[in-house]
Amino acid sequence: MGTTETGQPVNRFELLVQSVTDYAIFMLNPAGFVVSWNSGAQRIKGYSADEIIGQHFSAFYTEEDRAAHVPAAVLRTAEVEGRFEAEGWRLRKDGTRFWANVVIDPIRDPAGHLLGFAKVTRDLTERRAAQEELRRSEERFRLLVQSVTDYAIYMIDPVGTITSWNSGAERFKGYSAEEIMGQNFARFYSEEDRMAGLPSRALDTAQREGRFEAEGWRIRKDGTRFWASVVIDPIRDPAGELLGFAKITRDLTERRQAAQALEQAREAIFQSQKMDAIGKLTGGVAHDFNNLLAVIVGSLDLARQRLAAGADISRYLDNAMTAADRGATLTQRMLAFARKQELKLEQVDCIGLIHGMADLLKTTIGSSVAIETRFPLSLRPAHADPAQLELALINLAVNARDAMPDGGRLLIEGSEITLALGDQPDLAAGSFIRLTVTDEGEGMDEATLARAREPFFTTKGVGKGTGLGLSMIHGFTQQCGGAMTIASQPGKGTSVSIWLPVALIDASNERTAIPCEPDELETEPLVILAVDDDDLVLTNTAGMLETMGHTVFQAGSGREALHMLEQGRIDLVVTDHAMPGMTGAQLADAIEQAYPDLPVLIITGYAELPADASRRLRLDKPFRQAELAMMVHRIRHDSALRRLVPIGTDSHP
């Protein structure tokens, strides 16, 4: 107890109570009438002290609570139990309601007689509104999750125990919430996955990296499997403590089955297209080769008849040889189209090559077409096979001539162009030599232009073209690292461009000259072992070698050849590559192991050999005797290969 400046006594506890504004603190007498009132009570309830003191505290209760005798009940509880606390709606002076937290304590004298009640009320309207909104939000979220049927959305605790379950999970996993709650989520995995520790690894990954996502097989309640997309996210409290995981699973079985069915359909379509292309290729090749074989068989048959009569047969032999050469050219075109033609890539002077072809081009296309060339003063060399480039240019010249039946002008031009990435489809960034052949013919429409590169597609009449020309050029340019482009419009002619990469200057790329005239080659006899599984080809190869003056032994397989090598001394082995049991390359490897100084020449009708066989000498089919003689001459004069190798005894097999 203190005093004021006027000397009046002051109750400090009363000052303390009066200064509280967030709580209504007031006193009731034993009958429930208000006997004191603080500023907090006035702020919360709206009554001044003069208005409310002497009034019954039931005025703060709703009509329903008063009718139920709630005010009397709360006082009785406080008196009997020593305390009453509750929350509920209370009324302000203006009739509005607020949510109140109420505490009532009895006040007794030292003798224990009831003097009244201390009543503390706090306005919790805003907090209750926030809690109610949170509850509604949680309820909306619960309903949202529960209503999702296409996804299994549920929670698991840190060790994988399921703590919630939605209808989507029940729909495609088969468990009701009562069956699965409290179970470990590992039961959805296959036995193999559980043994491999996949469930625990998934939780570890989600906890460590903040997310786990995968697809795989999962197990339903009935034991059937479904293909699932799984996402697991960790759930943490504001302090970062792990509370559990949110797991979302989607059944992708139908989508996976549809994707597999689509892939199977695509494979079936691709196989059908491939078989269709093979059919066209086979039909075209059979047609052209039958024509060539008809010439060869007919000419040789006539030659045999005339030979019996003692007549001159050179004409028929020439016809057969011409047809055979055409067959070899057709094979080269097919290999080039398939990008399997063996190319001898080197630096090519395109200006010199085209000028050197001038007479050949004039002879090939005739006098009705005027040939013009347009080149810069200098042009860097291209990286290409000169023989295949010549063949490509001749094909384009012939196509141009056929497009101008009444004659016209043929323009061949060259230039060097530097491309950035994406400037030209199918070409990398870099410098290229572009050779363009342009005619003034009838041109092509869009449909024809789209099919121009297809094998055996031709707009020429029967017997006037195989339809492999542009296909061959396309394959040839691709092998060189370049491309072929076509521009054409009906009635405005056609331009075909060959793009070849610029060659890097390297003196080591220069080829060593080999004598080209077989009559000038030395004929020092060698002992040669010829190997081929085809008796006709073997007899022909041996006959060519014997005509050159060499001694030739024949073997029908690689095993037989190795056996014969053990019997005597051989200077050279000439073997076919494509043989059953042991290929020519495998035979060469075996010979190198046993007889490291014995040279081997591999003859092949196909461009590709094993990678480790690229260092060996080879001769492509078909070949003439002069080409075989040049290869033998080259081998004999090579310092590493011309020595005679003693093998076994001194006698020959």
Side-chain angles (χ1 to χ4, degrees):
M1 180 75 69
T3 60
T4 64
E5 294 179 354
T6 60
Q8 295 296 324
V10 176
N11 189 325
R12 294 183 178 180
F13 290 105
E14 183 178 354
L15 290 176
L16 173 63
V17 171
Q18 287 297 334
S19 66
V20 174
T21 59
D22 288 335
Y23 290 83
I25 304 175
F26 54 98
M27 183 177 174
L28 305 177
N29 68 15
F33 290 91
V34 179
V35 296
S36 72
W37 195 250
N38 79 331
S39 59
Q42 181 173 339
R43 186 184 69 82
I44 294 172
K45 296 181 181 277
Y47 295 94
S48 67
D50 295 338
E51 291 175 312
I52 199 62
I53 291 177
Q55 300 296 321
H56 198 271
F57 84 110
S58 61
F60 309 137
Y61 285 77
T62 64
E63 185 67 30
E64 297 82 3
D65 286 345
R66 288 197 298 268
H69 306 292
V70 171
V74 300
L75 293 182
R76 187 165 53 253
T77 300
E79 180 181 0
V80 174
E81 299 181 4
R83 178 183 178 84
F84 172 83
E85 183 173 3
E87 290 188 5
W89 291 110
R90 297 296 183 267
L91 296 179
R92 294 187 177 93
K93 176 184 175 181
D94 60 7
T96 59
R97 300 197 306 173
F98 66 98
W99 188 260
N101 173 263
V102 176
V103 177
I104 302 177
D105 292 292
I107 302 173
R108 299 181 184 275
D109 63 16
H113 296 108
L114 182 68
L115 302 179
F117 300 91
K119 190 169 186 294
V120 180
T121 304
R122 187 180 183 188
D123 186 353
L124 299 182
T125 307
E126 292 183 0
R127 191 181 75 175
R128 186 177 187 277
Q131 291 175 339
E132 184 65 21
E133 180 59 32
L134 178 60
R135 187 193 64 78
R136 286 196 295 266
S137 176
E138 289 177 346
E139 179 64 15
R140 286 195 299 267
F141 182 75
R142 187 190 67 79
L143 293 174
L144 171 64
V145 171
Q146 188 61 30
S147 65
V148 173
T149 59
D150 289 335
Y151 291 82
I153 304 175
Y154 55 97
M155 288 183 61
I156 53 182
D157 68 12
V159 296
T161 304
I162 298 169
T163 58
S164 73
W165 193 250
N166 80 326
S167 58
E170 181 173 348
R171 185 179 69 84
F172 60 79
K173 296 202 177 199
Y175 296 93
S176 67
E178 293 76 13
E179 292 175 310
I180 202 63
M181 295 277 282
Q183 302 294 321
N184 194 282
F185 84 111
R187 68 164 48 203
F188 306 137
Y189 288 77
S190 65
E191 184 66 26
E192 298 83 2
D193 288 344
R194 289 198 297 269
M195 294 294 293
L198 185 58
S200 60
R201 285 207 307 272
L203 296 186
D204 290 342
T205 300
Q207 182 176 358
R208 184 178 63 256
E209 300 180 3
R211 180 183 179 84
F212 173 82
E213 184 171 2
E215 290 188 7
W217 291 110
R218 297 295 183 267
I219 308 300
R220 294 187 176 95
K221 177 184 176 181
D222 60 7
T224 59
R225 301 197 308 169
F226 66 98
W227 187 260
S229 168
V230 177
V231 178
I232 302 177
D233 292 290
I235 301 173
R236 300 182 185 275
D237 63 17
E241 188 71 22
L242 181 68
L243 301 179
F245 300 90
K247 190 169 187 295
I248 301 176
T249 305
R250 188 179 185 189
D251 186 351
L252 299 181
T253 308
E254 293 183 359
R255 192 181 75 176
R256 186 171 187 266
Q257 291 173 344
Q260 290 177 334
L262 178 60
E263 184 62 26
Q264 291 173 354
R266 286 175 177 170
E267 290 179 0
I269 293 173
F270 174 74
Q271 183 68 16
S272 175
Q273 292 173 337
K274 183 169 66 173
M275 296 305 297
D276 181 61
I278 291 174
K280 292 179 180 178
L281 180 66
T282 304
V285 171
H287 175 269
D288 285 354
F289 269 111
N290 279 336
N291 289 342
L292 298 174
L293 289 174
V295 175
I296 294 172
V297 172
S299 296
L300 293 179
D301 189 40
L302 289 172
R304 183 169 55 184
Q305 296 178 29
R306 295 297 179 93
L307 182 62
D312 181 21
I313 63 172
S314 58
R315 171 187 174 189
Y316 301 106
L317 294 179
D318 289 342
N319 284 345
M321 185 61 71
T322 300
D325 288 340
R326 289 179 180 175
T329 300
L330 179 59
T331 301
Q332 289 178 344
R333 290 181 176 181
M334 291 169 57
L335 290 174
F337 166 72
R339 304 181 191 179
K340 299 296 184 184
Q341 176 63 45
E342 181 70 16
L343 299 182
K344 298 178 176 62
L345 299 176
E346 58 186 76
Q347 300 174 21
V348 179
D349 176 9
C350 295
I351 298 177
L353 181 139
I354 293 174
H355 286 166
M357 295 174 57
D359 292 339
L360 176 61
L361 288 171
K362 290 178 182 178
T363 303
T364 301
I365 66 177
S367 59
S368 63
V369 176
I371 302 176
E372 296 182 11
T373 59
R374 187 181 299 164
F375 290 96
L377 294 177
S378 64
L379 195 63
R380 285 200 289 173
H383 186 61
D385 183 326
Q388 292 297 322
L389 180 55
E390 285 185 357
L391 181 61
L393 292 171
I394 290 173
N395 267 295
L396 294 179
V398 170
N399 286 347
R401 178 203 63 189
D402 294 343
M404 299 183 293
D406 298 327
R409 182 175 68 102
L410 173 65
L411 174 63
I412 303 176
E413 54 186 333
S415 59
E416 179 180 338
I417 298 178
T418 300
L419 298 177
L421 187 63
D423 285 352
Q424 187 70 37
D426 301 328
L427 285 177
S431 297
F432 293 86
I433 303 300
R434 184 180 67 182
L435 301 176
T436 303
V437 178
T438 303
D439 64 59
E440 298 176 336
E442 56 194 23
M444 293 182 281
D445 56 26
E446 291 185 3
T448 304
L449 188 60
R451 301 189 59 192
R453 295 178 177 84
E454 291 183 14
F456 300 106
F457 174 75
T458 179
T459 57
K460 301 177 183 179
V462 177
K464 293 185 179 181
T466 63
L468 281 176
L470 292 179
S471 299
M472 178 273 294
I473 298 171
H474 175 66
F476 157 67
T477 56
Q478 291 283 323
Q479 278 186 278
C480 293
M484 180 188 74
T485 57
I486 308 174
S488 184
Q489 291 184 10
K492 295 185 179 181
T494 299
S495 291
V496 181
S497 295
I498 296 175
W499 298 75
L500 301 170
V502 170
L504 299 176
I505 305 300
D506 186 354
S508 63
N509 287 338
E510 296 180 1
R511 294 180 299 173
T512 303
I514 299 177
C516 296
E517 295 297 331
D519 294 339
E520 299 176 2
L521 304 179
E522 293 116 349
T523 58
E524 179 183 347
L526 301 176
V527 179
I528 300 175
L529 176 60
V531 188
D532 202 307
D533 63 309
D534 190 314
D535 291 338
L536 293 177
V537 177
L538 180 60
T539 300
N540 189 63
T541 302
M544 289 183 179
L545 293 169
E546 289 172 345
T547 302
M548 300 176 202
H550 305 296
T551 300
V552 183
F553 296 93
Q554 301 179 24
S557 68
R559 301 296 178 190
E560 183 181 352
L562 291 174
H563 178 71
M564 294 179 68
L565 286 173
E566 296 174 353
Q567 309 305 313
R569 188 175 64 193
I570 299 294
D571 301 327
L572 172 65
V573 176
V574 178
T575 178
D576 183 43
H577 172 61
M579 297 186 297
M582 178 182 286
T583 66
Q586 292 171 337
L587 174 60
D589 291 339
I591 292 174
E592 185 176 32
Q593 291 291 326
Y595 316 109
D597 294 325
L598 179 59
V600 178
L601 172 63
I602 299 178
I603 298 175
T604 177
Y606 188 62
E608 287 191 341
L609 289 176
D612 58 353
S614 60
R615 54 189 170 84
R616 304 192 183 279
L617 295 172
R618 60 178 285 173
L619 179 63
D620 292 334
K621 295 179 182 179
F623 56 88
R624 297 192 180 189
Q625 184 176 0
E627 295 171 313
L628 180 59
M630 285 189 288
M631 291 301 299
V632 174
H633 175 78
R634 175 179 174 182
I635 293 170
R636 185 170 53 240
H637 284 77
D638 191 302
S639 60
L641 300 176
R642 65 183 178 181
R643 293 175 299 172
L644 299 178
V645 182
I647 303 173
T649 65
D650 292 336
S651 60
H652 294 300

